[in-house]
Amino acid sequence: MPQTREHLILAKQIGISNIVVYINKVDAADQEMVELAEIELRELMNSMGMEGDKIPFVSGSALCALEGTKPEIGRDSIMKLMEAVDSYIPDPVRALDKPYLLPIDSVYSIPGRGTVVTGRLDRGVIKKGMECELIGYSKKFKSTITDIKAKCLNLGIEMFHKTLEEGQAGDQMGALIRGIKRDELRRGMAVCKPGSIDAHDQVEVQVYVLTKDEGGNGKPFTTNHALMMFSKTWDVSASVLIVDKDMVMPGEDSRFMLKLIKTMFMEQGQRFTLRSGSTTVGTGVVTKILPNMSPQERERLMMGAKKRAKLEAKKQDEQNKAQQK
């Protein structure tokens, strides 16, 4: 069950703690095979630190439910599945009392009207007419969420084709931004309350390096390792500096310092993943915000490895000559 293992690994990485399992296609297997699949899945979940013995399992056939045949494994199994979801999975906690934060998923432009950004409101409450700040990728703008209407489409704050007076944490929504052009924004930036969150390019983090079995590439981390950092809806290249070690092996949990080539909105406790190419190699959390890099530090970060090595060698030679004098 490689695909099921991959799904469970992803769920663990992003912090999902409540899972309901639906064993599909029981119309194509006998009862013994279904029971064996459930036992194997529970053992797999237990081995990954999940409560496999307590997780609800429902077996049935989605095809029978769709076609309206064999209701005992079709329609009835779907109803049991939804009952298990309602009883086992708690309602998400909405952080309504915090300053609003809307990570941008997509950006659209409507000529003569303005720029529309869409995404899921991460926290807080957002209303028409509120001042906002757009931040990310070393950019920062101030604007206002407006109440402008276009043909057959109400803009301002909209969710599933409904115009809203306000959006709350957890809502998938769109907002019209005044005075900002489409090409000034991109996916990965955020709409936030002015001054509520800052952009940073240097953070201290706690990272777990994935093993080969967990979907990683099985290679160790070394200092100056270049990876892509993914958090919220943004991704940016980052340089890894290992704290108190020379190397971190797969399966280890370690403290890193990450230097980003662009300043991105981040705060303590924010979760992220690290990827090398298309492979997820680590997952972690921001533990400390560090001062942003100076222009000289940023210039050095943007250098190639060979040029950086030459610069360090030259600096070392100058120090040696100074000591000899």
Side-chain angles (χ1 to χ4, degrees):
M1 298 179 286
Q3 190 176 36
T4 302
R5 176 185 287 273
E6 183 179 344
H7 290 164
L8 291 173
I9 290 171
L10 290 172
K12 185 179 179 181
Q13 288 174 3
I14 62 176
I16 294 177
S17 56
N18 298 91
I19 296 175
V20 174
V21 178
Y22 184 79
I23 301 178
N24 194 21
K25 299 182 180 180
V26 300
D27 54 325
D30 55 35
Q31 186 61 31
E32 186 177 347
M33 285 296 295
V34 174
E35 291 175 356
L36 182 60
E38 181 176 335
I39 292 170
E40 288 183 357
L41 264 175
R42 290 189 186 277
E43 289 177 351
L44 176 61
M45 289 178 167
N46 286 329
S47 69
M48 297 178 67
M50 301 178 181
E51 296 182 336
D53 296 330
K54 297 180 181 179
I55 290 174
F57 274 68
V58 179
S59 57
S61 169
L63 179 63
C64 291
L66 185 65
E67 294 177 343
T69 59
K70 300 181 181 178
E72 65 279 3
I73 61 171
R75 178 183 177 279
D76 292 349
S77 71
I78 301 300
M79 297 304 293
K80 289 178 182 178
L81 173 63
M82 297 317 300
E83 288 173 5
V85 169
D86 289 340
S87 61
Y88 186 72
I89 298 180
D91 292 334
V93 178
R94 308 293 187 187
L96 301 177
D97 56 339
K98 295 182 179 179
Y100 69 85
L101 176 67
L102 175 65
I104 296 175
D105 187 57
S106 301
V107 183
Y108 306 95
S109 180
I110 299 179
R113 296 294 187 268
T115 302
V116 177
V117 298
T118 64
R120 187 183 69 85
L121 191 60
D122 199 57
R123 66 182 187 218
V125 177
I126 192 169
K127 299 180 181 180
K128 296 178 184 178
M130 292 180 77
E131 290 187 352
C132 66
E133 196 169 67
L134 297 107
I135 189 170
Y137 293 103
S138 302
K139 297 179 180 179
K140 184 182 285 190
F141 309 102
K142 284 192 176 181
S143 185
T144 305
I145 299 167
T146 67
D147 186 17
I148 298 175
K149 295 183 179 181
K151 295 179 183 177
C152 304
L153 179 64
N154 294 320
L155 298 177
I157 300 175
E158 180 174 315
M159 181 179 68
F160 297 114
H161 307 293
K162 295 179 182 179
T163 302
L164 306 174
E165 291 300 320
E166 67 176 32
Q168 296 186 350
D171 289 346
Q172 192 75 27
M173 52 170 286
L176 184 83
I177 307 298
R178 178 189 295 165
I180 303 293
K181 294 181 180 179
R182 162 71 182 83
D183 56 5
E184 293 178 306
L185 302 177
R186 60 180 287 190
R187 172 186 167 88
M189 297 180 72
V191 182
C192 61
K193 182 179 179 181
S196 63
I197 191 169
D198 290 321
H200 307 279
D201 60 12
Q202 196 168 212
V203 291
E204 194 172 289
V205 300
Q206 193 72 24
V207 174
Y208 173 72
V209 181
L210 299 179
T211 64
K212 190 80 171 179
D213 291 338
E214 293 172 324
N217 58 15
K219 297 178 181 179
F221 278 27
T222 56
T223 290
N224 292 327
H225 203 91
L227 298 169
M228 290 299 293
M229 181 179 181
F230 289 75
S231 183
K232 305 294 184 182
T233 58
W234 58 260
D235 60 275
V236 71
S237 180
S239 179
V240 175
L241 283 90
I242 302 172
V243 180
D244 302 329
K245 287 183 180 180
D246 296 325
M247 183 183 295
V248 179
M249 299 300 294
E252 291 184 352
D253 198 290
S254 187
R255 191 158 55 100
F256 291 175
M257 189 164 71
L258 297 180
K259 294 177 179 286
L260 284 60
I261 63 169
K262 298 282 187 181
T263 58
M264 303 302 299
F265 66 93
M266 280 188 289
E267 55 192 351
Q268 191 170 336
Q270 186 167 317
R271 301 191 67 85
F272 63 88
T273 57
L274 296 172
R275 292 183 190 172
S276 178
S278 59
T279 305
T280 300
V281 294
T283 179
V285 62
V286 176
T287 56
K288 186 179 180 181
I289 301 295
L290 301 175
N292 284 352
M293 289 183 285
S294 65
Q296 293 79 14
E297 289 176 316
R298 179 168 294 281
E299 183 181 358
R300 186 175 179 277
L301 178 67
M302 301 300 290
M303 290 179 182
K306 291 182 179 180
K307 190 173 181 181
R308 192 184 300 122
K310 286 182 180 179
L311 187 66
E312 289 176 352
K314 184 179 178 181
K315 188 176 179 180
Q316 187 64 42
D317 288 342
E318 290 174 353
Q319 288 177 352
N320 292 338
K321 289 178 181 179
Q323 289 175 357
Q324 290 173 0
K325 290 179 180 179

